[in-house]
Short mmCIF file of all heavy atoms in Angstrom, two decimals:
data_model
loop_
_atom_site.label_atom_id
_atom_site.label_comp_id
_atom_site.label_asym_id
_atom_site.label_seq_id
_atom_site.Cartn_x
_atom_site.Cartn_y
_atom_site.Cartn_z
N THR A 1346 84.80 -16.23 -1.54
CA THR A 1346 83.89 -16.25 -0.39
C THR A 1346 82.47 -16.07 -0.84
O THR A 1346 81.56 -16.80 -0.42
CB THR A 1346 84.26 -15.13 0.67
OG1 THR A 1346 85.60 -15.36 1.10
CG2 THR A 1346 83.36 -15.15 1.82
N PHE A 1347 82.22 -15.08 -1.72
CA PHE A 1347 80.87 -14.89 -2.32
C PHE A 1347 80.46 -16.14 -3.07
O PHE A 1347 79.24 -16.55 -3.02
CB PHE A 1347 80.85 -13.63 -3.20
CG PHE A 1347 80.77 -12.36 -2.46
CD1 PHE A 1347 81.85 -11.48 -2.38
CD2 PHE A 1347 79.61 -12.03 -1.73
CE1 PHE A 1347 81.79 -10.32 -1.71
CE2 PHE A 1347 79.55 -10.84 -1.04
CZ PHE A 1347 80.64 -9.99 -0.97
N LEU A 1348 81.38 -16.66 -3.87
CA LEU A 1348 81.11 -17.91 -4.64
C LEU A 1348 80.68 -19.03 -3.75
O LEU A 1348 79.81 -19.78 -3.97
CB LEU A 1348 82.37 -18.26 -5.45
CG LEU A 1348 82.20 -19.56 -6.33
CD1 LEU A 1348 81.08 -19.43 -7.36
CD2 LEU A 1348 83.54 -19.89 -6.95
N PHE A 1349 81.41 -19.19 -2.57
CA PHE A 1349 81.14 -20.23 -1.62
C PHE A 1349 79.70 -20.16 -1.10
O PHE A 1349 79.02 -21.15 -1.12
CB PHE A 1349 82.14 -20.10 -0.47
CG PHE A 1349 81.91 -21.08 0.70
CD1 PHE A 1349 81.99 -22.42 0.50
CD2 PHE A 1349 81.59 -20.53 1.86
CE1 PHE A 1349 81.75 -23.29 1.60
CE2 PHE A 1349 81.31 -21.38 2.96
CZ PHE A 1349 81.37 -22.77 2.87
N TYR A 1350 79.30 -18.96 -0.73
CA TYR A 1350 77.96 -18.89 -0.19
C TYR A 1350 76.91 -19.06 -1.28
O TYR A 1350 75.83 -19.59 -1.04
CB TYR A 1350 77.77 -17.47 0.48
CG TYR A 1350 78.56 -17.31 1.71
CD1 TYR A 1350 79.50 -16.33 1.90
CD2 TYR A 1350 78.40 -18.22 2.80
CE1 TYR A 1350 80.24 -16.16 3.01
CE2 TYR A 1350 79.17 -18.11 3.97
CZ TYR A 1350 80.07 -17.09 4.07
OH TYR A 1350 80.81 -16.96 5.25
N ALA A 1351 77.19 -18.57 -2.48
CA ALA A 1351 76.28 -18.76 -3.59
C ALA A 1351 76.09 -20.24 -3.95
O ALA A 1351 74.96 -20.70 -4.26
CB ALA A 1351 76.72 -17.95 -4.87
N VAL A 1352 77.21 -20.96 -3.90
CA VAL A 1352 77.11 -22.44 -4.15
C VAL A 1352 76.23 -23.16 -3.11
O VAL A 1352 75.45 -24.06 -3.37
CB VAL A 1352 78.51 -23.13 -4.19
CG1 VAL A 1352 78.47 -24.61 -4.24
CG2 VAL A 1352 79.32 -22.63 -5.41
N ILE A 1353 76.41 -22.74 -1.81
CA ILE A 1353 75.58 -23.29 -0.76
C ILE A 1353 74.09 -23.07 -0.95
O ILE A 1353 73.31 -23.96 -0.88
CB ILE A 1353 76.07 -22.78 0.61
CG1 ILE A 1353 77.47 -23.33 0.94
CG2 ILE A 1353 75.04 -23.13 1.75
CD1 ILE A 1353 78.00 -22.79 2.27
N VAL A 1354 73.82 -21.87 -1.31
CA VAL A 1354 72.39 -21.48 -1.55
C VAL A 1354 71.84 -22.24 -2.78
O VAL A 1354 70.72 -22.80 -2.74
CB VAL A 1354 72.23 -19.93 -1.78
CG1 VAL A 1354 70.78 -19.61 -2.13
CG2 VAL A 1354 72.60 -19.20 -0.50
N ASP A 1355 72.65 -22.27 -3.81
CA ASP A 1355 72.26 -23.01 -5.03
C ASP A 1355 71.99 -24.53 -4.74
O ASP A 1355 71.02 -25.09 -5.10
CB ASP A 1355 73.28 -22.81 -6.07
CG ASP A 1355 72.89 -23.51 -7.44
OD1 ASP A 1355 71.72 -23.47 -7.75
OD2 ASP A 1355 73.77 -24.10 -8.09
N PHE A 1356 72.90 -25.07 -3.96
CA PHE A 1356 72.82 -26.52 -3.65
C PHE A 1356 71.54 -26.75 -2.81
O PHE A 1356 70.80 -27.68 -3.00
CB PHE A 1356 74.04 -26.97 -2.87
CG PHE A 1356 73.99 -28.36 -2.33
CD1 PHE A 1356 74.09 -29.48 -3.27
CD2 PHE A 1356 73.73 -28.65 -1.09
CE1 PHE A 1356 74.03 -30.75 -2.77
CE2 PHE A 1356 73.68 -29.97 -0.54
CZ PHE A 1356 73.82 -30.99 -1.39
N SER A 1357 71.31 -25.82 -1.81
CA SER A 1357 70.14 -25.96 -0.94
C SER A 1357 68.83 -25.87 -1.75
O SER A 1357 67.91 -26.67 -1.51
CB SER A 1357 70.19 -24.90 0.12
OG SER A 1357 71.39 -24.90 0.89
N LEU A 1358 68.77 -24.94 -2.68
CA LEU A 1358 67.60 -24.77 -3.48
C LEU A 1358 67.31 -26.00 -4.35
O LEU A 1358 66.16 -26.46 -4.47
CB LEU A 1358 67.68 -23.55 -4.39
CG LEU A 1358 67.53 -22.22 -3.66
CD1 LEU A 1358 67.87 -21.09 -4.65
CD2 LEU A 1358 66.07 -22.06 -3.17
N GLU A 1359 68.38 -26.57 -4.98
CA GLU A 1359 68.21 -27.72 -5.85
C GLU A 1359 67.82 -28.93 -4.99
O GLU A 1359 67.01 -29.77 -5.39
CB GLU A 1359 69.49 -28.00 -6.59
CG GLU A 1359 69.80 -26.91 -7.66
CD GLU A 1359 70.86 -27.35 -8.62
OE1 GLU A 1359 71.09 -28.56 -8.78
OE2 GLU A 1359 71.57 -26.41 -9.17
N PHE A 1360 68.35 -29.05 -3.81
CA PHE A 1360 68.04 -30.17 -2.90
C PHE A 1360 66.60 -30.01 -2.44
O PHE A 1360 65.79 -30.99 -2.40
CB PHE A 1360 68.95 -30.17 -1.76
CG PHE A 1360 68.81 -31.36 -0.82
CD1 PHE A 1360 69.12 -32.67 -1.29
CD2 PHE A 1360 68.34 -31.23 0.46
CE1 PHE A 1360 68.97 -33.81 -0.48
CE2 PHE A 1360 68.13 -32.37 1.25
CZ PHE A 1360 68.47 -33.61 0.79
N LEU A 1361 66.15 -28.75 -2.19
CA LEU A 1361 64.78 -28.53 -1.69
C LEU A 1361 63.78 -28.84 -2.86
O LEU A 1361 62.74 -29.44 -2.66
CB LEU A 1361 64.65 -27.05 -1.30
CG LEU A 1361 63.25 -26.60 -0.86
CD1 LEU A 1361 62.85 -27.30 0.40
CD2 LEU A 1361 63.21 -25.09 -0.58
N ASP A 1362 64.17 -28.53 -4.05
CA ASP A 1362 63.33 -28.81 -5.23
C ASP A 1362 63.23 -30.33 -5.38
O ASP A 1362 62.10 -30.88 -5.61
CB ASP A 1362 63.96 -28.24 -6.46
CG ASP A 1362 63.05 -28.46 -7.72
OD1 ASP A 1362 61.86 -28.16 -7.69
OD2 ASP A 1362 63.59 -28.93 -8.75
#
Side-chain angles (χ1 to χ4, degrees):
T1346 300
F1347 283 110
L1348 177 63
F1349 173 66
Y1350 291 123
V1352 171
I1353 290 178
V1354 175
D1355 183 38
F1356 175 75
S1357 302
L1358 285 172
E1359 292 192 26
F1360 187 68
L1361 180 62
D1362 184 48

